[in-house]
Amino acid sequence: MKGKPIREYLLSKRSGNIESITVFGNRIFALTGPRPVEVSIFEFGGSLVDTINLATVGVLDRGSDGVISFKKERLLNGTINKILLDRKGNIFVLGSDLIMINGSGKVLKRWGPNVFNFIFDGNDNLIINYGPEIEIYDPNYKLKRKSTQDRKGKFVGKEWGSMIWPEHIDASGNLYGFADGKDMYLARYSVKNKSLKYFPIRQDDLIGASWTVASNGDIYYAETMRNFIVTKVVEIE
């Protein structure tokens, strides 16, 4: 295989680590920790543009009686921490809850508790994974339908094999995740052509790191312990 990571962006040094990154236009949005308490926004040159504090957004909590309540004093923190933007520029942050905020940090919508993952599809629908259940919302974030784990194969395509969940999607509707196989290389699946393209990054290479896909299909990853270096990855020829 050929190809290697290229073009590193050294972001302004901040305390803590990058929990997740996404690229929107000419800016890098980083969910920074050690807990995801703020969104840091950088230019591609590395300069810090703005920060959005998430320390007071609170979380939803399901009690032993099944009743869901809001806990403002608890920090947004989950097993998976993830940040994405929709086409309108709304910021989606996943911790224990999934929240949609504007550029000022105002919480516009909230889903939870215990959201496992989420993704946008090629039609701007929001797909939220709760583990055993999936909820699909239209571009205005009205619930369209609910599904279950065993129906996800219809969404991702059988070529993904045993892959659990596509992590990202580009503007052309291509899906990105780790292809099934002994090396688990990062791959792009074309829904239109039903084909896979591989990148020189394995799942094990990204342990403790965050990766994302820009709308044009460029892939970036950030290693949390390398002073906020964000690397652009080239496709394997």
Side-chain angles (χ1 to χ4, degrees):
M1 289 186 174
K2 299 180 180 179
K4 62 180 180 180
I6 60 170
R7 201 172 181 183
E8 294 186 341
Y9 303 89
L10 180 60
L11 305 183
S12 303
K13 185 171 175 58
R14 305 276 293 171
S15 60
N17 297 322
I18 292 179
E19 300 287 342
S20 180
I21 61 168
T22 193
V23 174
F24 186 78
N26 61 352
R27 290 184 173 176
I28 297 169
F29 289 72
L31 187 60
T32 52
R35 295 182 178 180
V37 294
E38 68 179 17
V39 175
S40 299
I41 306 170
F42 301 90
E43 295 178 340
F44 268 96
S47 299
L48 180 67
V49 177
D50 198 5
T51 59
I52 301 172
N53 194 303
L54 302 176
T56 60
V57 299
V59 300
L60 295 174
D61 178 73
R62 189 187 303 273
S64 58
D65 56 0
V67 176
I68 296 175
S69 59
F70 178 68
K71 304 290 186 181
K72 187 174 182 179
E73 71 279 4
R74 287 177 53 186
L75 291 176
L76 187 71
N77 189 37
T79 303
I80 295 178
N81 300 310
K82 185 174 180 180
I83 181 169
L84 290 176
L85 278 76
D86 65 12
R87 293 183 194 270
K88 301 173 185 177
N90 295 311
I91 303 169
F92 287 73
V93 175
L94 173 63
S96 44
D97 296 350
L98 174 63
I99 61 171
M100 179 174 75
I101 61 175
N102 61 17
S104 301
K106 180 181 179 181
V107 177
L108 304 177
K109 287 190 75 69
R110 180 189 299 269
W111 295 268
N114 303 323
V115 174
F116 177 72
N117 211 330
F118 74 103
I119 190 176
F120 292 98
D121 70 9
N123 297 314
D124 294 333
N125 295 308
L126 172 65
I127 301 171
I128 301 177
N129 182 354
Y130 284 92
E133 292 187 352
I134 296 169
E135 295 180 347
I136 302 174
Y137 293 81
D138 68 19
N140 294 315
Y141 306 114
K142 302 294 184 182
L143 180 65
K144 294 174 65 175
R145 65 183 185 275
K146 295 184 179 183
S147 184
T148 54
Q149 287 273 27
D150 59 0
R151 294 182 60 190
K152 284 197 301 181
K154 185 177 180 181
F155 169 67
V156 302
K158 64 181 182 181
E159 287 80 0
W160 285 106
S162 61
M163 190 181 118
I164 297 174
W165 187 256
E167 288 291 338
H168 296 285
I169 190 166
D170 65 22
S172 299
N174 298 311
L175 299 168
Y176 296 76
F178 294 98
D180 189 28
K182 66 176 183 178
D183 292 320
M184 292 293 288
Y185 274 93
L186 182 62
R188 177 177 66 228
Y189 174 65
S190 169
V191 176
K192 180 179 179 181
N193 299 324
K194 293 182 168 38
S195 62
L196 284 171
K197 293 281 189 178
Y198 295 92
F199 297 84
I201 297 291
R202 293 175 298 180
Q203 189 175 44
D204 288 347
D205 296 331
L206 293 179
I207 294 176
S210 170
W211 65 280
T212 192
V213 178
S215 60
N216 65 355
D218 286 344
I219 295 177
Y220 300 84
Y221 74 94
E223 296 187 52
T224 59
M225 302 306 292
R226 290 185 60 199
N227 295 332
F228 283 30
I229 292 178
V230 177
T231 304
K232 180 178 176 180
V233 181
V234 296
E235 183 179 323
I236 296 176
E237 298 175 356

